[in-house]
Amino acid sequence: MTKFDEATQAIRIDEGTYDVCLDPGYAIGGPLNGGYLMAVILRAAVDASPFEHPVSTTAQFLKAPVAGPAQVRIEPLKAGRTAAFARATLVQDDVAHIEGLITTATLHEVEPIYAEKSAYDMPSIEDCAKLPDPKPESGMNLNARMELLFDPPTIGWLKGEPSGRPESRAYFRMAEPQDPDPYVLALAVDALPPVVFSAGARGWAPTVDLTWHLRALPAPGWLTLLGSGRLVSDGWFDEEVEVRDSTGRLVAQSRQLARVGRG
């Protein structure tokens, strides 16, 4: 079991109730990363399901939970021959912090009928760049749990030279050797810095709603994350992320609505 597996572990207490312990190692300057929190919820949802994989997840982030004990409560809604539907609630101190609707199914290794190629060719890993290591007091613990190598134009904001477009692109893998799986993909879809940074904004950009789809089981190796946005307006922005595995296959896609950071 890897450290990530331990940090996302859900222990069944009774039918529909799971104890979890939210790990401070996935904090981003205080709040916990939304993708990490989804992975925690999905561990419980899949355990309670007759199917193996979380193929569609919609999460509403009502309140930011803190590191420490919490519970995931699963309410089955319907189960058919090929998919099951459930409501999942992350509860801390008897207060709902995240509400999710989760569809589970079992994916198989099959040749796709149609597979669109990536619309963007990433530079080689050797030509990509890391973000500077954060100061220990910053609380950006998430950086130590994963490796991100960025397409250089999308981190121009570090030097005060944002591209002017909401975008972020990087190669991704866990810092501890681990083949990507659906739970790693849940983290990956929310692992990039907010795309609004490249449009000139700064500060914590809290996610309000995030939906992501598991499209295929990923091959071992680096993942490629392609993030973009369509509109930044009135304190809100959207972010879409396409995740491709080491073979170039589309394995996950997401869309979220978030607040523009204040800072």
Side-chain angles (χ1 to χ4, degrees):
M1 180 180 288
T2 67
K3 292 180 181 178
F4 178 71
D5 292 339
E6 292 179 357
T8 55
Q9 188 175 19
I11 300 173
R12 184 172 182 172
I13 301 303
D14 58 37
E15 186 175 354
T17 306
Y18 292 79
D19 276 352
V20 298
C21 188
L22 304 180
D23 193 321
Y26 295 85
I28 45 173
L32 295 168
N33 172 264
Y36 162 70
L37 294 170
M38 284 197 302
V40 172
I41 293 170
L42 292 176
R43 291 279 190 192
V46 171
D47 184 81
S49 169
F51 300 103
E52 297 181 29
H53 304 123
V55 296
S56 181
T57 302
T58 295
Q60 303 277 336
F61 293 81
L62 310 177
K63 185 178 180 181
V66 298
Q71 283 190 335
V72 179
R73 298 174 184 171
I74 304 296
E75 177 190 350
L77 300 175
K78 182 183 178 182
R81 289 183 298 174
T82 60
F85 307 87
R87 177 178 289 108
T89 307
L90 180 72
V91 177
Q92 197 169 53
D93 297 327
D94 291 324
V95 176
H97 287 61
I98 300 174
E99 288 281 1
L101 292 175
I102 298 165
T103 303
T104 51
T106 299
L107 299 182
H108 305 93
E109 294 290 345
V110 296
E111 285 296 318
I113 297 173
Y114 171 78
E116 185 179 59
K117 293 183 178 180
S118 174
Y120 186 85
D121 291 327
M122 282 283 287
S124 67
I125 287 179
E126 293 74 20
D127 291 330
C128 289
K130 290 181 63 177
L131 292 177
D133 291 334
K135 296 178 181 180
E137 65 270 20
S138 70
M140 294 295 292
N141 303 335
L142 179 64
N143 296 55
R145 299 295 188 268
M146 60 189 188
E147 292 184 61
L148 285 170
L149 296 174
F150 290 88
D151 188 5
T154 68
I155 53 172
W157 50 267
L158 274 173
K159 300 179 180 179
E161 300 173 356
S163 68
R165 299 181 300 274
E167 59 183 357
S168 188
R169 297 182 291 272
Y171 293 104
F172 168 98
R173 68 181 179 186
M174 302 300 293
E176 181 182 12
Q178 177 174 3
D179 289 339
D181 62 15
Y183 308 104
V184 170
L185 290 178
L187 176 65
V189 297
D190 197 38
L192 292 168
V195 296
V196 76
F197 284 8
S198 284
R202 299 298 290 270
W204 179 48
T207 300
V208 175
D209 176 276
L210 193 158
T211 295
W212 79 280
H213 304 305
L214 172 67
R215 304 308 313 279
L217 301 178
W222 288 91
L223 299 171
T224 300
L225 312 183
L226 305 174
S228 63
R230 299 188 180 190
L231 179 67
V232 182
S233 176
D234 197 25
W236 297 87
F237 73 99
D238 61 276
E239 177 173 312
E240 297 181 8
V241 176
E242 176 183 304
V243 183
R244 292 184 178 266
D245 69 6
S246 58
T247 71
R249 178 177 49 175
L250 179 68
V251 293
Q253 54 195 148
S254 70
R255 174 178 288 178
Q256 66 173 281
L257 182 67
R259 296 290 292 165
V260 175
R262 299 182 297 276

